[in-house]
Amino acid sequence: MALPQPPNTVPAPDARKTPMVEYRIPGYLVNPENLIRVLRENFKDNYRVKVRNDNYSIFTPRKLTRNELIMCN
């Protein structure tokens, strides 16, 4: 009896293992609603945001464009 062979496909990269780009932005430059809208439109659920001492740490799988950063304000 032959053992089943795995499919000849390459698994999709795991989002948690891909390197993330980090941005640190002062809170006065960020509109939280615009930030979340931009991140969801571009990355679905593949991003992280931390806020500490009114500073945003934003982690995304690629660099944000200048226009994307401007739309977060």
Side-chain angles (χ1 to χ4, degrees):
M1 182 176 203
L3 295 173
Q5 297 295 318
N8 291 329
T9 59
V10 177
D14 187 356
R16 294 171 297 203
K17 294 181 182 176
T18 58
M20 301 288 263
V21 178
E22 180 180 1
Y23 293 89
R24 293 184 181 177
I25 304 175
Y28 69 91
L29 294 176
V30 176
N31 177 321
E33 292 175 358
N34 291 344
L35 171 66
I36 297 303
R37 180 179 44 78
V38 168
L39 294 175
R40 284 185 181 160
E41 286 175 2
N42 290 289
F43 305 112
K44 308 294 183 222
D45 291 329
N46 191 18
Y47 65 88
R48 290 184 307 163
V49 177
K50 295 180 182 179
V51 181
R52 184 170 185 181
N53 298 330
D54 200 32
N55 289 297
Y56 284 76
S57 294
I58 304 165
F59 302 87
T60 59
R62 66 163 172 80
K63 285 186 168 185
L64 295 170
T65 66
R66 180 183 203 108
N67 287 337
E68 289 169 342
L69 289 169
I70 290 170
M71 289 189 320
C72 294
N73 189 351

